[in-house]
Structure formats: C-alpha cells, structure tokens
C-alpha cells in the first residue's frame, strides 16, 4: 500500500516534469526559430515511465480485485440463508433440552 | 446468501470458538450476517460474553444486538428462562420499542401460547399495519400449529402487498412442495428465478420440482435448469450433476420407440457422469463403486 502510493506520486511527478520540459523545449525552439517536429527523447522516456508507474499504482493501491465469475469461490453460493423470519420453534429441540445449565447472570 | 469462502470462514471460526480459541464475537457477527441458524452455539457463546461484564461493556451499543440475538437463540433451544431474562433487560433499556414488543410476542410463540401471541401481534399491527416481520410471524404461527392451508392463505395475502419479498416466495414454494402441490411450487420458483437469476439454488429447486412433476416436456425443462445450475456453480454441485443423469435417463425412457430426431444426444449425460466420477474419486474414493453401479443402472434403461 505505502510503496504503491509512493510510486504513484513519483509517476505523477514524472508526468509533470515531462510537461514542464516540453514547454521549455518549445520555448527554446521559438528562440532558435526551428519547426516543432516532435518531443525530445527524454520527454518520451519520462512519459512512458510515468504511464507505467501511474498504472501500476492505480492497479495496486485501491485494493484487491474481486472475481466477477459466478462460479468463483467468493461468488459461488453453497447454501441459502435459513429463512429466519419464518422460523418456528416446535422442532426436535423441544424434546432434547440442552444439558448445559445456562443462566443470564447480572 | 452464503458463498463458498464465507462458508469456510464460518466453519473455521466455529471450530476455533468451540476449542476455546477466542473470537466469539466475530463468530456471532458472522452468524448474524450470513443468517444461519446455529442457535445452540449462539446461545452458549453469546451468554458467555453477556455474563462477562468486561467483555459486555467493551461491545458498546452492539451489546443490545447481542441480547436480541441470544434471546432468539434461547427460544430456539427452549431455554425460555434465558430468553425471558434477555427480553427483560431489553425492555428496561427500550421500554417503547416495537422490536422488543415483537420479541415478547415471539416468546409467547415459543411457549406455545398461540392466542396470547396472536393478541400481541395484532396490537402491534394496529400501530403499524405494514410491519412485514409481523405478517411473516403470523404465517409462521399458522405453520407451527400445523395449519398449512392457513399459512398459505396468509402468505398469499402478504405476497399481494409485498411482491418483491423473495424470502416469502421461497417459504411459499417450500410449503407447497411439502404439501406435494408441485405446480404451485413451480410457479413460486419461477418467480424467484425471475427476481434473482444468479442464485443456483433456485434453479436447482425449480428443476427438482419439474422433474418430480414428470412428463416429457417438464423433464426436458428440468434438464435445462440443471444445466444452468451447473453453469452457475462451475460444475461443483453434485445434485445438479445427478439431476442431468436422471433427466437424460427419463427422457430416454419416455421417447423410447419414437423416431431418432426426438432423442437428445447422450453427450451431456456422459459429461455429467465423468464430472461425477472425477468428483467422487477426489473426495470419496470408497463410494466410487456405488456411483458406478448407479450410473450403470441408469445407462441400461437408456
């Protein structure tokens, strides 16, 4: 969690730095009066690194992935809940009382 | 709904609590969340928390929920004194509460004094005529007295108002199938499948009812619903696998002597049989011979 978050922040910073260096590069191009043909190499590398870091952070920081398959272990229903709203008390438990001596003490 | 992971979690916690490993409160919370009926254990472990002042006060406001849970569990175990004490404590804390009033009426039910319970419920209903729980309790009371037709009548009246209540539909389906009124039960299960299409148990129960009804068309539909159960559970439901085998055998017998087009391919049956065999080999190897003879007898009749 902590590590993923730090890496995410780092990725964001790299992206910001890439934006800053692109602006600076265009300013430089204006001064030397050249056409803009493409971003410089270091900006491209920074963009790719930032993309990878941010993606990794976004996939790990929020938590575990949950399965959407109906037959996965988390989703596969093995039994219905006991219908407790309709629970009735005249069952075998009446004939076999508990052996324990239970009391609410206060 | 109880999923596989929750079931294992529950059984792990249960054995841990039973062996004195602690975690009683977590166990009770899980029981409440999954709505399973473990009254004896809830009573035992819940009382041990309630009788320990330090543990009880550490729960904070959840203490009252625990009193409620233990009271119902005690009624289910016929420990009426404990239930009465719990309700008394709750009554002292919440003198005007409807929920405590319902518990008191439930205690009358557990004692078997139906008339007093009925009186208590109807006075509660006067204050709030749309209290779903009380309407359901009336159905349960009729059922407990063996008055199944009365229960069906109440339940139908209730379902006219609260059509989206799938628990009530399930109860009605179970009552109908206990009375062997399978057509009506099938209707209820259709309703349940419509409202919760991802629950394999409803598909399975519907298929069971249709197979019991019999007739070529019903058995063919039952086979389809067994197949959908298998799809929803990833083939881990043994009952559905057996259902496929039985349905195929029944269809084979019903279409015997007809032309070939009516007969279905035996592929599904053999797939189900192999899945069953693999499952038995893995989990109960000593019962494998029973399975093979059963499957063989089905195939002979094909």
């Amino acid at each position: 969690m902590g590590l993923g978050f730090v890496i995410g922040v780092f990725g964001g910073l790299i992206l910001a730095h890439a934006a800053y260096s692109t602006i600076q590069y265009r300013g430089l191009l204006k001064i030397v009066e050249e056409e803009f043909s493409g971003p410089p190499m270091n900006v491209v590398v920074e963009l790719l690194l930032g993309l990878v870091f941010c993606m990794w952070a976004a996939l790990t920081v929020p938590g575990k992935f949950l399965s959407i398959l109906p037959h996965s272990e988390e989703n596969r229903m093995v039994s219905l809940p006991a219908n407790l709203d309709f629970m009735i008390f005249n069952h075998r438990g009446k004939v076999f009382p508990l052996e324990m001596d239970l009391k609410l003490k206060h | 709904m109880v999923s596989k992971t929750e079931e294992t979690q529950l059984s792990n916690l249960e054995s841990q609590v039973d062996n004195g490993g602690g975690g009683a409160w977590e166990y009770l919370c899980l029981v409440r969340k999954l709505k399973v009926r473990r009254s004896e254990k809830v009573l035992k472990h819940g009382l041990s928390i309630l009788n320990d002042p330090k543990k009880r006060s550490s729960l904070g406001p959840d203490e009252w929920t625990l009193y409620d849970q233990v009271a119902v569990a005690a009624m289910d175990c016929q420990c009426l004194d404990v239930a009465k004490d719990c309700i008394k404590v709750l009554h002292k804390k919440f003198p005007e509460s409807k929920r405590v009033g319902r518990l008191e009426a439930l205690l009358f039910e557990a004692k078997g004094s139906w008339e007093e319970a009925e009186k208590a419920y109807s006075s509660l209903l006067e204050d709030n005529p749309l209290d779903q729980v009380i309407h359901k309790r009336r159905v349960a009371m009729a059922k407990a007295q063996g008055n199944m037709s009365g229960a069906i009548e109440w339940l139908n009246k209730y379902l006219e108002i609260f059509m989206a209540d799938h628990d009530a539909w399930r109860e009605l389906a179970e009552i109908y199938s206990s009375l062997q009124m399978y057509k009506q039960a099938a209707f209820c299960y259709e309703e349940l499948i419509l409202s919760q299409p991802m629950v394999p148990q409803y598909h399975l129960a519907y298929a069971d009812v249709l197979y019991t009804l019999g007739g070529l068309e019903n058995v063919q539909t039952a086979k389809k619903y067994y197949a959908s159960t298998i799809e929803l559970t990833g083939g881990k439901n043994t009952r559905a696998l057996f259902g496929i085998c039985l349905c195929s055998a029944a269809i084979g017998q019903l279409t015997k002597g007809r032309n070939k087009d009516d007969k279905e391919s035996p592929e599904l049956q053999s797939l189900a049989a192999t899945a069953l065999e693999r499952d038995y080999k893995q989990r109960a190897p000593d019962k494998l011979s029973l399975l093979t003879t059963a499957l063989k007898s089905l195939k002979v009749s094909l």
Side-chain angles (χ1 to χ4, degrees), chain B residues 10 13 16-17 22-32 49:
Chain B
L10 183 72
L13 252 181
Q16 183 194 326
V17 171
W25 172 243
E26 286 74 26
Y27 174 67
L28 293 171
C29 284
L30 196 63
V31 165
R32 211 162 46 225
I49 293 182

Side-chain angles (χ1 to χ4, degrees), chain B residues 4 17 35 43 89 143 163 167 176 205 209 221 248 255 259 262 274 277-278:
Chain B
K4 181 71 190 162
V17 171
K35 289 191 194 141
L43 179 61
V89 174
K143 198 171 100 178
M163 269 174 241
D167 281 337
Y176 274 135
V209 167
T221 322
S248 304
T255 56
N259 52 354
D262 276 2
T274 32
E277 241 162 27
R278 203 179 41 216

Side-chain angles (χ1 to χ4, degrees), chain A residues 69-73 75-78, chain B residues 4 200-201 204 225-245 268 271-280 282-283:
Chain A
L69 294 171
H71 52 78
S72 64
E73 292 290 286
N75 294 334
R76 186 160 63 88
M77 280 165 215
V78 287
Chain B
K4 181 71 190 162
Q201 274 75 21
L204 187 64
Y225 276 90
Y226 280 126
S228 71
T229 312
I230 290 179
E231 195 186 0
L232 286 174
T233 54
K236 293 202 175 107
N237 192 316
T238 316
R239 193 179 173 88
L241 292 171
F242 271 120
I244 288 278
C245 294
L268 194 56
L271 275 176
T274 32
L276 270 176
E277 241 162 27
R278 203 179 41 216
D279 203 25
Y280 267 73
Q282 206 174 38
R283 293 198 296 180

Side-chain angles (χ1 to χ4, degrees), chain B residues 6 17 34 69 78 104 126 134 156 180 216 243 261 264 284 300:
Chain B
E6 283 164 334
V17 171
L34 299 182
Q69 195 181 6
Q78 291 292 317
E104 279 163 350
E126 262 167 36
I134 293 178
N156 275 320
Q180 306 192 351
L216 181 60
D261 309 342
E264 294 185 22
V300 168

Side-chain angles (χ1 to χ4, degrees), chain A residues 76 85 87 90-91 105-106, chain B residues 4 51 76 136-137 144:
Chain A
R76 186 160 63 88
D85 284 339
M87 147 199 250
N90 50 354
H91 47 66
K105 289 168 257 172
H106 274 295
Chain B
K4 181 71 190 162
N51 283 334
D76 202 15
K136 289 183 185 180
R137 284 320 306 168

Side-chain angles (χ1 to χ4, degrees), chain B residues 64-92:
Chain B
W64 310 110
T65 325
L66 183 60
Y67 272 115
D68 185 359
Q69 195 181 6
V70 170
V72 175
M75 284 183 235
D76 202 15
C77 297
Q78 291 292 317
C79 297
L80 296 180
D81 296 334
V82 178
K84 210 193 233 159
D85 292 342
C86 286
I87 294 173
K88 220 182 269 164
V89 174
L90 282 173
H91 193 81
K92 216 192 272 166

